[in-house]
Amino acid sequence: MASQNTPGLLFRPAHHQVLDLEMSGELLYIVDDTSNAIALSGGEWTTSKTNKWYNGTLMWPKFATTGDNATDTSVFGSLNYTFHGTSIAFVGNIGLSNNSQITVVTIDGNSPYNTSYDKPISQNYQQWYQSPHLDDGVHTIQLDNIVTTSVDIVVISAGPNTLLSGQTVIVDDDDPSIIYSGNWNRNEDRFVTSEAAGGLPFRNGTQQSTTPGDAASIRFTGTSVVVYGIFPWATPGSMSVRYTLDGSSSVKTYKVTPSSPNLVKKEPQQPNFLFFSEDSLAPGNHTLSINITEINNLTFVMDYLTYSPSFNSLTTKPNITAPTMPTPSTSQSTPLPTSSSSSTPSKNGLVRGVVGGIAGVVIVLALALLIIYKRRRRDRALRHNAGLESGRQRLIVKPYLLTVPPTRADATPGPVATINDVLLPLPLVPKSRDKLKRSPDSSLATSNPQRPITNLREDTLQRIRAVEALIAVLGITPNNDRVSYDDQIQINQLRQRINELAQGNSHPNTVDSPPAYEAGAP
């Protein structure tokens, strides 16, 4: 049949189209081949039942043949399916090279186009068709000209408003929502089955482990969860895996013995192998952790997970955070074919826990000592600075403004002097204790502080009153033990200034008048 490609759609092998489905942050859901919503026609489609297929079944048009051109006896199968989403893909076995490998595709009634895939010598399990990206909504796809190609699952990409209630979400092993720890390896090898050719895992890759202690974890919002992988039956061996769901653990042991049916039938590997399932969860957020506890001569191969969502669409999907990195640990478990309670951690795990705990205590103590040391240094500095500041305030750093009572009825009180104003005319006084000399006349101002001073000029009287008031403001009495050495010098200077002012008033011809404090005075 001639190719009829619509604009923007290429005629190309379907195995390359799997890459188109890989979009960041995309959510995929799957539909099994047994769904009644998938309309199969052209003849009676045959159901293949084997544990290699998803849920154990696969549909294919066994009746379809390609007759010779002379008699035109070709019979084809057709498929019609209506879905809600932004793209659709089909996974199953592709036909043999001696049959037609061209499928005619029609989407939403638009012009049909042809798609094809490689021509293997034998059948091959893989994704054999991927649609172009579509608007988020309801679409209908029609596939015609199907010969021997089978359908196992339909994979649909959900848009923001795609209805997800009742669907099954599929999560690839390489999805960023799955957190791995340990020695996992990303593997893109084909699996091998009894058909020799085998096929490709979901999204063309798996995560594999052969190391006890390797772990993986995923958080999801739903009511069920299933873990699928590829099981190796080629050689005898065993492995035990602990599954922890929301804190509840169980250990499953898988064994291959010389009498295992798959080994006897020479079935090297089994795709779509169900490792773990739980279908009775309460709607909401859940965490599943997978831990390899024991493994001997086998490989744990994880391909994908599925869960039933408890949200209706991506717009209502809870924004849950990724799980924390699981801590690798190992344990010894007795090989059992059924689930059992989680086993006791190994000696190595206990040693690592003790060492880690001691290291944590040492770090905490070191930090505490550092904080205490810095806090004490800060307090000492604050006390030192506070003492200096207090001393300065008691001396001359922060001047006291004094208001002298009016001497006349029409006089207006106002600021007269500060310590600096009073002391400025005085010579510097030595600050050494042994050089401190008190004025012999200082008793004139201190022996009787209440003695009235008369016959003084008014400006001199104001200055004396200012000095006396300043001493009163300081609140320090003579010979007080609490008075510092520098304060005592300051007090003596103030008293000496009183004497000088009093003596100067009695000799008006030899003592200059004090400086004026009126506004605008020179």
Side-chain angles (χ1 to χ4, degrees), residues 260-311:
S260 296
N262 293 73
L263 180 60
V264 174
K265 293 188 300 183
K266 298 183 179 180
E267 186 83 29
Q269 294 175 301
Q270 178 184 335
N272 299 299
F273 182 84
L274 193 154
F275 279 109
F276 172 83
S277 68
E278 177 57 61
D279 58 2
S280 59
L281 300 175
N285 298 333
H286 304 279
T287 301
L288 173 65
S289 297
I290 304 170
N291 189 285
I292 312 298
T293 59
E294 182 182 2
I295 192 161
N296 298 300
N297 203 36
L298 294 180
T299 301
F300 183 82
V301 182
M302 188 165 67
D303 193 4
Y304 60 91
L305 298 90
T306 64
Y307 68 88
S308 300
S310 56
F311 49 90

Side-chain angles (χ1 to χ4, degrees), residues 111-395:
S111 300
Y113 67 94
N114 296 344
T115 185
S116 183
Y117 37 80
D118 287 341
K119 297 181 178 181
I121 298 176
S122 60
Q123 290 185 336
N124 191 64
Y125 186 89
Q126 65 180 60
Q127 177 179 299
W128 51 265
Y129 172 75
Q130 166 69 54
S131 76
H133 184 75
L134 307 169
D135 293 334
D136 186 15
V138 178
H139 303 279
T140 299
I141 186 170
Q142 174 76 26
L143 300 179
D144 296 307
N145 205 61
I146 302 176
V147 181
T148 69
T149 300
S150 63
V151 178
D152 189 9
I153 59 174
V154 181
V155 184
I156 302 167
S157 176
N161 300 310
T162 299
L163 298 178
L164 298 172
S165 178
Q167 303 294 351
T168 300
V169 174
I170 185 168
V171 182
D172 185 39
D173 65 276
D174 207 28
D175 192 279
S177 63
I178 304 178
I179 306 301
Y180 296 93
S181 67
N183 301 308
W184 293 85
N185 294 312
R186 172 71 174 173
N187 188 284
E188 297 182 356
D189 292 343
R190 301 166 60 87
F191 60 80
V192 180
T193 64
S194 57
E195 283 82 10
L200 297 172
F202 183 69
R203 304 298 286 272
N204 296 346
T206 60
Q207 292 285 344
Q208 301 186 2
S209 170
T210 58
T211 306
D214 285 357
S217 185
I218 182 174
R219 295 194 68 190
F220 63 96
T221 303
T223 58
S224 69
V225 63
V226 186
V227 179
Y228 291 92
I230 299 175
F231 194 86
W233 293 103
T235 57
S238 65
M239 59 182 172
S240 296
V241 182
R242 177 188 294 115
Y243 300 92
T244 304
L245 184 57
D246 299 333
S248 179
S249 297
S250 63
V251 175
K252 290 184 176 293
T253 299
Y254 313 93
K255 296 194 299 183
V256 179
T257 66
S259 59
S260 296
N262 293 73
L263 180 60
V264 174
K265 293 188 300 183
K266 298 183 179 180
E267 186 83 29
Q269 294 175 301
Q270 178 184 335
N272 299 299
F273 182 84
L274 193 154
F275 279 109
F276 172 83
S277 68
E278 177 57 61
D279 58 2
S280 59
L281 300 175
N285 298 333
H286 304 279
T287 301
L288 173 65
S289 297
I290 304 170
N291 189 285
I292 312 298
T293 59
E294 182 182 2
I295 192 161
N296 298 300
N297 203 36
L298 294 180
T299 301
F300 183 82
V301 182
M302 188 165 67
D303 193 4
Y304 60 91
L305 298 90
T306 64
Y307 68 88
S308 300
S310 56
F311 49 90
N312 294 325
S313 66
L314 283 176
T315 56
T316 61
K317 181 179 183 294
N319 186 21
I320 57 178
T321 59
T324 57
M325 183 68 71
T327 302
S329 64
T330 61
S331 64
Q332 299 296 327
S333 61
T334 302
L336 295 174
T338 58
S339 301
S340 62
S341 60
S342 58
S343 54
T344 304
S346 68
K347 184 182 297 183
N348 291 336
L350 292 175
V351 171
R352 286 195 297 268
V354 172
V355 173
I358 294 174
V361 171
V362 171
I363 292 174
V364 171
L365 290 176
L367 291 175
L369 291 175
L370 180 62
I371 292 173
I372 293 173
Y373 171 74
K374 289 188 174 182
R375 185 172 295 174
R376 288 182 176 177
R377 287 192 59 185
R378 181 195 63 186
D379 293 343
R380 285 197 298 268
L382 290 175
R383 288 196 298 269
H384 177 72
N385 293 336
L388 293 178
E389 185 65 23
S390 176
R392 294 190 186 100
Q393 291 177 355
R394 288 197 305 269
L395 295 177

